[in-house]
Amino acid sequence: EMAKEDTVPVATTVRMAAYLGVQTQPVAPETGMQLGLAPGFGLVVKEVLADSPAHLAGVEKHDVLVMFKDQILVNTEQL
């Protein structure tokens, strides 16, 4: 049996990704121009998973997401 003073606390860091429940793709340049977006900004929603946070928040297929967690979206890895 280990004595209490022999134990070493272990600190762990867990990075949890946000789960929205959407599949996205970058906005096509011509679509971005029509929407008034700067080149390369925004993601188009391709699919919304049923009962996901995005679905419950009212996100729909073909919506354009431009910000998440105070960051302008430019690629799918940001979600």
Side-chain angles (χ1 to χ4, degrees):
E1 182 176 325
M2 292 182 79
K4 188 173 189 176
E5 57 273 4
D6 292 336
T7 61
V8 177
V10 177
T12 58
T13 302
V14 178
R15 183 171 186 253
M16 297 187 65
Y19 169 69
L20 290 180
V22 294
Q23 290 184 354
T24 61
Q25 67 185 34
V27 173
E30 59 277 357
T31 303
M33 284 178 50
Q34 291 173 348
L35 295 173
L37 297 175
F41 283 19
L43 299 173
V44 177
V45 176
K46 295 187 331 182
E47 182 180 352
V48 180
L49 301 177
D51 299 320
S52 67
H55 177 251
L56 297 173
V59 176
E60 297 180 355
K61 186 175 181 177
H62 304 296
D63 281 353
V64 176
L65 306 177
V66 293
M67 277 191 115
F68 181 69
K69 289 187 165 184
D70 297 326
Q71 288 188 331
I72 295 172
L73 297 173
V74 295
N75 64 58
T76 59
E77 289 79 29
Q78 291 177 272
L79 294 179

